[in-house]
Amino acid sequence: MPSVEVTDDLAVPAGPQRAAGDDAPARHRSRPALMVAGIVLVAAAAYSVLALQSPIPSIAPDEYFYSQLVRGLAHGTGFAWRGEPLHQTAALYIYFIAPVWAAVSSFVDAYNASRVLGTVALCMQAFPVWLLARELVRPRLAVLAAALSLAGTWMLASSALATETLAMPLATTALCLTVLSLRRPSLRLDLLAVGFALLASWARIQLVVLGAAIVAAFALNALRAPRGRRRAALGEHRLVLAAGAAVVLVGLVAVLVHPALVGGYSEVIDYRPSLGATVKKLGLQLLELGAATAFLPLLLAAAAIASPRAWADDRSGPLLIVIWTAAVALALQSGFFIAGLGSIPTGIERYVSYVAPLLLVLLLVLLEQRELLSTRSYALAAVLALAYLLMPEPLQVGIEPAGWSLRHRLGDLLSLGTATTLTLVAVATVAVAWATTRRLRAVAATAAVAGMVLLVFAVQDETSWQRLIQVTRNFRAQALPADLEWLDHHSHGDVALIASGINPPQIAIEEFFNRSISRFYIPEGTTLQGRPVDGRTCAYHVDGQTGELRFDPGCPPATNRFYLHDPNAALTFADVRRTAWNPRAGRIVELAPGATPRLRALVEVPCPMFTWPGDSTTSWDTTPPPTDCRPGIRGQVWLDRPGRLEFRFAGGAAPHAVATEAAETRDIPPRRPTTVSIPAGAGSSAFAMSFDWSSSKPGMPRLLSAAIVEGGKRTPITY
């Protein structure tokens, strides 16, 4: 039995660090706290700098959704997206960053300030980790535990508007308090643990399972007690056990009866994945947790389940119970979600990373108390590492950064696949830990293993952050205007976006940084290609005889200003009073006051007027822009008098030809411009032109311009 000291009427196992602390002067006891504070400050500064290197949102649709919520809260318009109500029960994060959006007029500045604020909050999780670790290991190792809690890929959340930046420190605090309460039962600690779990759930609805995990941990802890004390052990947490079980039961019934209680995730209630699919995803989620924690902590935590000493120990036992109840709860919940969603072939790392800080604390406990794990335990951990042979290909870079980064750096270097790479790294971490703990003294072995874990984290972090920054910068430079708020600065008020056939990803980013888009119109009876459209959309159609735009009566235009940013279609309006154009932002058209929105031309261009870099889910670099084009032009014009259409082409490297509907063929000589004219009568006229090429590759002819010539007046056809 461990020795016991009596403090504040509570029996507390006397760890060596506590005895040393009692004899040390106050200034020595304050040094670890100052060191942890310094680590937090340095980490917050470093991650803020990294976060701001990523100039645009990287998590879709989450960041776009949260930006609309915080705008509505900050500016008093309610939770809505272009008039469509948004349901968000877990809104603590939105309240947390709302003051920034209320105080700062620029959405670019508000976005950056929110990320810095979220980074500071995320780094604060080092404090509860340190407060727990100092009860379990020596002071220097407790400081190391705090540092490790800020070293993994879960810190990538600081680059985004992400609820994890607030939910993770709250969840970590709840789990740390649960461990402390298992070690020295206290109603105050029980209530604090449950309270922080509720706050974490309010920040991110997924974490509602933490309450059930905490109740399960209190119940399972009784199994660690001698047979004669199990009832007493349950009694030490009877209030939370009874109240928690009742709340979990009532909450489950309430959600089943009223799914809207979980906000936007209410559709999950209707998921019906098979048991096999759910179990498979549960296993994958645990593997994701292992990759996120450099493999060794999770593998040793799994091996420790079979170690009676580890279960009985007053330090590792409570940690094991809390870690595994929380890990299984999170993996089961997220596994059910991913299996029901059906569109994600692998797992999602960030859904289970909340357990990572406690796994790192457990690792240090096991390294300091080497007698808790035998050689058989390390052998079992090595065998469990072989489970990574089941990891599916390919890893998704945005949702599996820990595993993907190792696959990218080591797998490519060694020409190995994902499963083989991760398995080798996992087995190697176990082998190194076993060898060092058997051959080196305790301090040296702990330093060596901690250094190995930090090395794995360094590879993961460097690769993941570099890739994130490179991809977002590439998109920013190649597809967006220099002024991210160009639309607000040139629109002179609200605008209605008119789409034709495609919704490019630029639109979501432009709406993210600009407040001007009040309506989003799509062609009646069609679905836009490209990125899914979030928020309320309205239908419109073009009157074939007059060219007038007819809008859904339930969603009329709120303005005489229209925003055009469709790469495949050129809409030219009549009665234009003012216009603004940017090659990467599109065109704003302001009509004369009271004018009926009417088109003069609607033209489907052969090649996209602008492109954007792709964002591969499995590779480092952005994919090249598409090069395929339509083999021709078609469209419709509405003229007040007879005229003609003029299309000017740049010649390619070889002769080519175009053909009009009248079967007339015009040659496009190489390396010189050529104008092709098509007559158009008064009123409505449709036209078509076909090419003998269908590519925008170098050496092919290019459409330089198009225009309507009517009564001696030339009107460019523009988008």
Side-chain angles (χ1 to χ4, degrees), residues 400-446:
E400 301 172 284
W404 177 86
S405 58
L406 292 174
R407 165 66 177 84
H408 177 76
R409 287 299 187 209
L410 301 180
D412 289 356
L413 178 65
L414 302 175
S415 299
L416 299 176
T418 295
T420 305
T421 301
L422 299 188
T423 303
L424 285 177
V425 176
V427 172
T429 61
V430 175
V432 170
W434 173 80
T436 54
T437 55
R438 291 302 177 266
R439 294 176 179 269
L440 301 179
R441 302 179 71 176
V443 174
T446 301

Coordinates of all heavy atoms in Angstrom, one line a residue, residues 400-446:
E400 N -6.4 14.2 -41.3 CA -5.5 13.2 -40.7 C -4.0 13.8 -40.7 O -3.1 13.1 -41.3 CB -5.5 11.9 -41.4 CG -6.9 11.2 -41.3 CD -7.0 10.0 -42.2 OE1 -7.0 10.1 -43.4 OE2 -6.9 8.9 -41.6
P401 N -3.8 15.0 -40.2 CA -2.5 15.6 -40.4 C -1.3 14.8 -39.8 O -0.2 14.8 -40.3 CB -2.6 17.0 -39.8 CG -3.7 16.8 -38.8 CD -4.7 15.9 -39.5
A402 N -1.5 14.2 -38.6 CA -0.4 13.5 -38.0 C 0.0 12.3 -38.8 O 1.2 12.1 -39.1 CB -0.9 13.0 -36.6
G403 N -0.9 11.4 -39.2 CA -0.5 10.3 -40.0 C 0.0 10.7 -41.4 O 1.0 10.1 -41.9
W404 N -0.7 11.7 -42.0 CA -0.4 12.1 -43.4 C 1.0 12.6 -43.4 O 1.8 12.4 -44.4 CB -1.4 13.1 -43.9 CG -1.0 13.6 -45.3 CD1 -1.3 13.1 -46.5 CD2 -0.2 14.8 -45.6 NE1 -0.8 13.8 -47.5 CE2 -0.1 14.8 -47.0 CE3 0.4 15.7 -44.8 CZ2 0.6 15.8 -47.6 CZ3 1.2 16.7 -45.4 CH2 1.2 16.8 -46.8
S405 N 1.4 13.4 -42.4 CA 2.7 14.1 -42.5 C 3.8 13.0 -42.4 O 4.9 13.2 -43.1 CB 2.8 15.1 -41.3 OG 2.6 14.5 -40.1
L406 N 3.7 12.0 -41.6 CA 4.7 10.9 -41.5 C 4.7 10.2 -42.8 O 5.8 9.8 -43.3 CB 4.3 10.0 -40.3 CG 4.5 10.6 -38.9 CD1 4.0 9.6 -37.9 CD2 5.9 11.0 -38.7
R407 N 3.6 9.9 -43.4 CA 3.5 9.2 -44.7 C 4.2 10.1 -45.7 O 5.0 9.5 -46.6 CB 2.1 9.0 -45.1 CG 1.9 8.6 -46.5 CD 2.5 7.2 -46.9 NE 2.2 6.8 -48.2 CZ 2.9 7.2 -49.3 NH1 3.9 8.0 -49.1 NH2 2.6 6.8 -50.5
H408 N 4.0 11.4 -45.7 CA 4.6 12.2 -46.7 C 6.1 12.3 -46.5 O 6.9 12.2 -47.5 CB 4.0 13.6 -46.6 CG 4.6 14.6 -47.6 ND1 4.3 14.6 -48.9 CD2 5.5 15.6 -47.4 CE1 5.0 15.5 -49.5 NE2 5.7 16.2 -48.6
R409 N 6.6 12.5 -45.3 CA 8.0 12.7 -45.1 C 8.8 11.4 -45.1 O 9.8 11.3 -45.8 CB 8.2 13.3 -43.7 CG 7.9 14.8 -43.7 CD 8.7 15.6 -44.6 NE 8.5 17.1 -44.5 CZ 8.6 17.9 -45.4 NH1 9.0 17.5 -46.7 NH2 8.4 19.2 -45.2
L410 N 8.3 10.3 -44.4 CA 9.1 9.1 -44.3 C 8.7 8.1 -45.4 O 9.5 7.4 -46.0 CB 8.9 8.5 -42.9 CG 9.3 9.4 -41.8 CD1 9.1 8.6 -40.4 CD2 10.8 9.8 -41.9
G411 N 7.4 8.0 -45.6 CA 6.9 7.0 -46.6 C 7.4 7.3 -48.0 O 7.9 6.4 -48.7
D412 N 7.4 8.6 -48.4 CA 7.9 9.0 -49.7 C 9.4 8.7 -49.8 O 10.0 8.3 -50.8 CB 7.6 10.4 -50.0 CG 6.1 10.6 -50.3 OD1 5.4 9.6 -50.3 OD2 5.7 11.8 -50.5
L413 N 10.1 9.0 -48.7 CA 11.6 8.8 -48.7 C 11.9 7.4 -48.8 O 12.9 7.0 -49.5 CB 12.1 9.4 -47.3 CG 13.6 9.3 -47.1 CD1 14.4 10.1 -48.2 CD2 14.0 9.7 -45.7
L414 N 11.2 6.5 -48.2 CA 11.5 5.1 -48.2 C 10.7 4.3 -49.2 O 10.8 3.1 -49.3 CB 11.2 4.5 -46.8 CG 12.0 5.1 -45.6 CD1 11.6 4.5 -44.3 CD2 13.5 4.9 -45.8
S415 N 9.8 5.0 -50.0 CA 9.0 4.4 -51.0 C 8.1 3.3 -50.3 O 7.9 2.2 -50.8 CB 9.8 3.7 -52.1 OG 10.6 4.7 -52.7
L416 N 7.4 3.7 -49.2 CA 6.5 2.8 -48.5 C 5.1 3.4 -48.5 O 4.9 4.6 -48.6 CB 7.0 2.6 -47.1 CG 8.4 2.0 -46.9 CD1 8.7 2.0 -45.4 CD2 8.4 0.6 -47.5
G417 N 4.2 2.5 -48.4 CA 2.8 3.0 -48.3 C 2.4 3.5 -46.9 O 3.2 3.4 -46.0
T418 N 1.2 3.9 -46.8 CA 0.8 4.5 -45.5 C 0.8 3.5 -44.4 O 1.4 3.7 -43.3 CB -0.7 5.0 -45.6 OG1 -0.7 6.1 -46.6 CG2 -1.2 5.5 -44.3
A419 N 0.2 2.3 -44.6 CA 0.1 1.4 -43.5 C 1.5 0.9 -43.0 O 1.8 0.8 -41.8 CB -0.7 0.2 -43.9
T420 N 2.4 0.6 -44.0 CA 3.7 0.2 -43.6 C 4.5 1.3 -42.9 O 5.2 1.0 -41.9 CB 4.5 -0.2 -44.9 OG1 3.7 -1.2 -45.6 CG2 5.8 -0.8 -44.6
T421 N 4.4 2.5 -43.4 CA 5.1 3.6 -42.8 C 4.7 3.8 -41.3 O 5.5 3.9 -40.4 CB 4.9 4.9 -43.5 OG1 5.4 4.7 -44.9 CG2 5.6 6.1 -42.9
L422 N 3.4 3.9 -41.1 CA 2.9 4.1 -39.7 C 3.2 2.9 -38.8 O 3.5 3.1 -37.6 CB 1.4 4.4 -39.8 CG 1.0 5.6 -40.6 CD1 -0.5 5.9 -40.4 CD2 1.8 6.9 -40.2
T423 N 3.1 1.7 -39.3 CA 3.4 0.6 -38.5 C 4.9 0.6 -38.1 O 5.2 0.3 -36.9 CB 3.1 -0.7 -39.3 OG1 1.7 -0.7 -39.7 CG2 3.4 -2.0 -38.4
L424 N 5.8 0.9 -39.0 CA 7.2 0.9 -38.7 C 7.5 2.0 -37.6 O 8.3 1.7 -36.7 CB 8.0 1.2 -40.0 CG 8.2 0.0 -41.0 CD1 9.0 0.5 -42.2 CD2 8.9 -1.2 -40.3
V425 N 6.9 3.1 -37.8 CA 7.2 4.2 -36.8 C 6.6 3.8 -35.4 O 7.3 4.0 -34.4 CB 6.5 5.5 -37.3 CG1 6.7 6.6 -36.2 CG2 7.2 6.0 -38.6
A426 N 5.4 3.2 -35.4 CA 4.8 2.8 -34.2 C 5.6 1.7 -33.5 O 5.9 1.8 -32.3 CB 3.4 2.3 -34.4
V427 N 6.1 0.7 -34.2 CA 6.9 -0.4 -33.6 C 8.2 0.2 -33.1 O 8.8 -0.1 -32.1 CB 7.1 -1.5 -34.6 CG1 8.1 -2.5 -34.1 CG2 5.8 -2.2 -34.9
A428 N 8.8 1.1 -33.9 CA 10.1 1.7 -33.6 C 10.0 2.5 -32.3 O 10.9 2.5 -31.4 CB 10.6 2.6 -34.7
T429 N 8.9 3.2 -32.0 CA 8.8 4.0 -30.8 C 8.7 3.1 -29.6 O 9.3 3.4 -28.5 CB 7.5 4.9 -30.8 OG1 6.3 4.1 -31.0 CG2 7.6 5.9 -32.0
V430 N 8.0 1.9 -29.7 CA 7.9 1.0 -28.6 C 9.3 0.4 -28.4 O 9.7 0.2 -27.2 CB 6.9 -0.1 -28.9 CG1 6.9 -1.2 -27.9 CG2 5.5 0.5 -29.1
A431 N 10.0 0.0 -29.4 CA 11.3 -0.6 -29.3 C 12.3 0.3 -28.6 O 13.1 -0.1 -27.7 CB 11.9 -1.0 -30.7
V432 N 12.3 1.6 -29.0 CA 13.2 2.6 -28.4 C 12.9 2.8 -26.9 O 13.8 2.8 -26.1 CB 13.1 3.9 -29.2 CG1 13.9 5.0 -28.4 CG2 13.7 3.8 -30.6
A433 N 11.6 2.9 -26.6 CA 11.2 3.0 -25.2 C 11.6 1.8 -24.4 O 12.1 2.0 -23.3 CB 9.7 3.2 -25.2
W434 N 11.4 0.6 -24.9 CA 11.8 -0.6 -24.1 C 13.3 -0.6 -23.9 O 13.8 -0.9 -22.8 CB 11.3 -1.8 -24.9 CG 11.8 -3.1 -24.2 CD1 11.3 -3.7 -23.1 CD2 13.0 -3.9 -24.6 NE1 12.1 -4.8 -22.8 CE2 13.1 -4.9 -23.7 CE3 13.9 -3.7 -25.7 CZ2 14.1 -5.9 -23.8 CZ3 14.9 -4.7 -25.8 CH2 15.0 -5.7 -24.9
A435 N 14.1 -0.3 -25.0 CA 15.5 -0.4 -24.9 C 16.1 0.6 -23.9 O 16.9 0.3 -23.1 CB 16.1 -0.2 -26.3
T436 N 15.5 1.8 -24.0 CA 16.1 2.9 -23.1 C 15.7 2.6 -21.6 O 16.5 2.9 -20.7 CB 15.5 4.3 -23.5 OG1 14.1 4.2 -23.6 CG2 16.1 4.6 -24.9
T437 N 14.5 2.2 -21.4 CA 14.1 1.9 -20.0 C 14.8 0.7 -19.4 O 14.9 0.6 -18.2 CB 12.6 1.7 -19.9 OG1 12.2 0.6 -20.8 CG2 11.8 3.0 -20.3
R438 N 15.3 -0.2 -20.3 CA 16.0 -1.3 -19.7 C 17.5 -1.1 -19.6 O 18.2 -1.7 -18.8 CB 15.8 -2.5 -20.6 CG 14.4 -3.1 -20.6 CD 14.0 -3.5 -19.2 NE 12.6 -3.9 -19.1 CZ 11.5 -3.1 -18.8 NH1 11.8 -1.8 -18.6 NH2 10.3 -3.6 -18.7
R439 N 18.1 -0.2 -20.4 CA 19.5 0.0 -20.4 C 20.0 1.3 -19.8 O 21.1 1.4 -19.4 CB 20.0 0.0 -21.9 CG 19.8 -1.3 -22.6 CD 20.2 -1.2 -24.1 NE 20.1 -2.4 -24.7 CZ 21.0 -3.4 -24.8 NH1 22.2 -3.1 -24.3 NH2 20.8 -4.5 -25.5
L440 N 19.1 2.3 -19.7 CA 19.5 3.6 -19.1 C 18.9 3.8 -17.8 O 17.9 3.2 -17.4 CB 19.1 4.8 -20.1 CG 19.7 4.7 -21.5 CD1 19.1 5.9 -22.3 CD2 21.2 4.7 -21.5
R441 N 19.4 4.7 -17.0 CA 18.9 5.1 -15.7 C 17.6 5.9 -16.0 O 17.3 6.4 -17.1 CB 19.9 5.9 -14.9 CG 21.2 5.2 -14.7 CD 22.2 6.0 -13.9 NE 21.8 6.2 -12.5 CZ 22.6 6.8 -11.6 NH1 23.7 7.4 -12.0 NH2 22.1 6.9 -10.4
A442 N 16.8 6.0 -14.9 CA 15.4 6.5 -15.1 C 15.4 7.9 -15.7 O 14.6 8.2 -16.7 CB 14.7 6.6 -13.7
V443 N 16.2 8.8 -15.3 CA 16.2 10.2 -15.8 C 16.6 10.2 -17.3 O 16.0 10.8 -18.1 CB 17.2 11.1 -15.0 CG1 17.3 12.5 -15.6 CG2 16.6 11.2 -13.5
A444 N 17.7 9.5 -17.6 CA 18.2 9.4 -19.0 C 17.2 8.8 -19.9 O 17.0 9.2 -21.0 CB 19.5 8.7 -19.0
A445 N 16.6 7.7 -19.4 CA 15.6 7.0 -20.2 C 14.4 7.9 -20.5 O 13.9 7.9 -21.6 CB 15.1 5.7 -19.5
T446 N 13.9 8.6 -19.5 CA 12.8 9.5 -19.7 C 13.1 10.6 -20.7 O 12.3 10.9 -21.5 CB 12.3 10.1 -18.3 OG1 12.0 9.0 -17.4 CG2 11.1 11.0 -18.5

